[in-house]
Amino acid sequence: YPAGAFTTADVDDEGIRYMWDESFIPEITIHITADEWNKLLKRYDEFSHNVDYFHADFTYKRGDEEIFIEDGGIRLRGNTSRRRPEGNGGQMHNSQNPDWHHCHFGINFRKFHKDDAHTVKGIRKVNLKWFKDDPCYVREVYCYNLFRRYGIWTSAFSTFCRVWLEVKGDPKKAYLGVYNMIEPIDDKFVEKRVEGKFESDKGFLWKCVYGPDGPADLNSTSSNRFNWDQDNGVNYTYEFKGDEEDFAAARTQLVDFIQKLNSKHSIHFEKWAKEVFDVEFLLKTYAVNVAVGMWDDHWGNGNNFYLYFNGTGLDDYKVYFLPYDYDNSLGTSLIVNDAGRQDPYDWGNAGILMEKMMIFDEFRQIYKEALQELVDPANELFHM
């Protein structure tokens, strides 16, 4: 890793260093009864975007070491990439001739038992993503790695892993292939990056996506775009990842932030931006976003990012942009013709944050220098 990179060694957490040690390719075996697996399939048919957990055991293998966790939870994940993991609608598990489909999984080892025995070295949750539309199996792993190589500590840890599925009683277990094992962004993510980084884990965390009520463009404050995570499978444009009793205060803060972002101009915006952001860090983060061609983002599509406010008031915080979901990168295109040939100063027209940052020469220069750092071969970052 180059100087200044953010690695597992920079996190004072045994579980992070163990699970995301890139010198190993771990294996996860999901052990589930036919009854629980059929419940999962039936629930998918009822509501494909459910977030229900189902009982399963897990074997986590790293090298010669195995950790077995009994009675944890597994669920399906994904938005447009969500799939039924076996067969077609209405079909139950076929033990003799199963029709497996790649799908994303969320694993919560502690879902049904809140104790340390239901963790892997203290890690409670992992996300497993298959490499949709990526025959090289590299895009998202590479992007998260580049963020960390460039010192962007708000990026999740990720690594390759092998995934097996055993429906108990079947003649053999299924090898689902190589997956991306990703650190979830939640309260524990924040806690592991407090000292010297977020500084406080008492703030408010938001997941921001293009929801049914519109994009996460940080423009509209329509009330139906905000909600707390009710664990019901419904997507909201701005979803609060905290307790319900804190939602009102968190919403007031985010609405106030959005209103200031939109209403302040000229020197007033520039001064305010320096107060609420680590401007250099934000622009370096977004330089990676653009360098890897992430068009399905805040600036391009009003989608796929988190915001963390490290305070709870209206004027006593720093806000951080957390990168998220990089399967649409490194050459994929949908709302742009060729993500590799777009103007990096005119990346999109959805997200107002970067639109306003690019107005100011000082901010634009920081962003430009970050892009130049990324593509300079001497830095061994993002170059050809």
Side-chain angles (χ1 to χ4, degrees):
Y1 279 88
F6 177 65
T7 73
T8 57
D10 296 309
V11 180
D12 185 19
D13 186 87
E14 179 187 11
I16 292 288
R17 294 192 299 271
Y18 182 82
M19 292 198 73
W20 283 281
D21 180 349
E22 294 176 337
S23 61
F24 291 88
I25 297 180
E27 297 185 21
I28 295 179
T29 301
I30 303 158
H31 313 272
I32 190 167
T33 65
D35 183 53
E36 283 296 297
W37 187 249
N38 284 331
K39 288 179 183 178
L40 182 151
L41 296 176
K42 183 178 179 181
R43 182 67 179 127
Y44 177 91
D45 293 341
E46 294 170 346
F47 176 39
S48 62
H49 277 67
N50 76 83
V51 293
D52 299 359
Y53 278 96
F54 299 87
H55 293 263
D57 304 331
F58 303 94
T59 300
Y60 183 86
K61 182 178 180 181
R62 195 190 82 150
D64 295 329
E65 183 175 358
E66 288 190 2
I67 297 174
F68 180 75
I69 296 177
E70 184 177 11
D71 197 24
I74 187 168
R75 73 173 183 90
L76 300 179
R77 288 183 57 84
N79 187 19
T80 58
S81 58
R82 187 174 291 219
R83 306 169 80 191
R84 198 179 199 269
E86 182 190 356
N88 298 315
Q91 295 178 346
M92 294 294 97
H93 175 57
N94 185 330
S95 61
Q96 299 303 315
N97 188 28
D99 177 23
W100 302 117
H101 306 147
H102 276 124
C103 65
H104 307 315
F105 294 108
I107 293 175
N108 184 342
F109 300 117
R110 280 170 48 103
K111 179 63 181 177
F112 305 114
H113 303 276
K114 311 300 184 186
D115 55 51
D116 290 342
H118 287 80
T119 69
V120 176
K121 306 289 186 179
I123 298 298
R124 306 173 306 165
K125 300 177 183 178
V126 296
N127 293 334
L128 299 176
K129 289 188 70 174
W130 68 286
F131 292 89
K132 179 181 180 292
D133 301 328
D134 184 4
C136 294
Y137 282 44
V138 71
R139 288 188 185 117
E140 192 157 37
V141 175
Y142 176 88
C143 291
Y144 282 131
N145 180 268
L146 180 60
F147 275 112
R148 297 192 305 275
R149 288 169 62 82
Y150 196 41
I152 307 302
W153 49 263
T154 48
S155 171
F157 288 105
S158 73
T159 190
F160 294 105
C161 74
R162 299 184 179 97
V163 179
W164 301 80
L165 175 66
E166 178 194 35
V167 178
K168 296 179 181 180
D170 279 13
K172 62 179 182 179
K173 63 182 180 181
Y175 178 52
L176 300 184
V178 176
Y179 271 60
N180 186 9
M181 184 175 73
I182 307 173
E183 176 192 15
I185 298 177
D186 57 11
D187 58 331
K188 295 298 180 183
F189 179 97
V190 173
E191 288 176 15
K192 296 178 194 304
R193 292 162 173 78
V194 169
E195 188 173 351
K197 297 177 174 63
F198 287 130
E199 298 295 346
S200 170
D201 61 356
K202 307 304 181 185
F204 297 140
L205 178 67
W206 291 87
K207 182 179 181 181
C208 308
V209 300
Y210 199 120
D213 295 304
D217 52 14
L218 297 178
N219 193 338
S220 170
T221 56
S222 170
S223 61
N224 57 355
R225 293 192 178 193
F226 302 84
N227 218 318
W228 70 94
D229 184 358
Q230 300 184 40
D231 208 23
N232 59 4
V234 177
N235 286 326
Y236 302 97
T237 301
Y238 304 107
E239 185 172 271
F240 176 54
K241 295 296 185 177
D243 296 329
E244 180 181 352
E245 56 265 30
D246 294 325
F247 172 68
R251 182 185 181 280
T252 297
Q253 182 190 63
L254 180 56
V255 168
D256 180 74
F257 168 79
I258 292 173
Q259 290 173 339
K260 288 173 178 173
L261 173 62
N262 284 269
S263 63
K264 291 181 179 292
H265 302 285
S266 187
I267 193 172
H268 303 290
F269 175 86
E270 186 177 18
K271 180 177 182 293
W272 174 78
K274 290 179 178 179
E275 292 171 352
V276 300
F277 295 110
D278 179 335
V279 168
E280 182 178 0
F281 188 75
L282 169 65
L283 293 172
K284 290 180 71 171
T285 301
Y286 227 99
V288 178
N289 221 53
V290 172
V292 301
M294 169 54 159
W295 52 266
D296 195 18
D297 65 346
H298 163 66
W299 197 356
N301 197 32
N303 199 14
N304 288 329
F305 63 100
Y306 282 74
L307 292 176
Y308 178 66
F309 295 77
N310 71 354
T312 58
L314 301 185
D315 299 299
D316 63 345
Y317 59 77
K318 287 285 188 181
V319 60
Y320 294 89
F321 177 96
L322 281 58
Y324 171 70
D325 198 358
Y326 283 79
D327 47 11
N328 282 311
S329 60
L330 297 174
T332 67
S333 293
L334 182 59
I335 64 172
V336 295
N337 292 326
D338 183 350
R341 296 178 182 271
Q342 299 301 304
D343 183 348
Y345 304 103
D346 188 23
W347 183 245
N349 55 18
I352 192 171
L353 172 59
M354 287 299 293
E355 288 288 301
K356 297 195 73 167
M357 296 295 284
M358 288 299 97
I359 293 172
F360 298 90
D361 291 340
E362 180 184 354
F363 297 165
R364 194 178 177 99
Q365 183 64 25
I366 294 171
Y367 176 65
K368 176 183 177 180
E369 290 174 359
L371 288 170
Q372 290 173 332
E373 283 182 338
L374 286 166
V375 301
D376 185 342
N379 297 326
E380 298 183 344
L381 293 164
F382 185 81
H383 65 90
M384 297 182 66

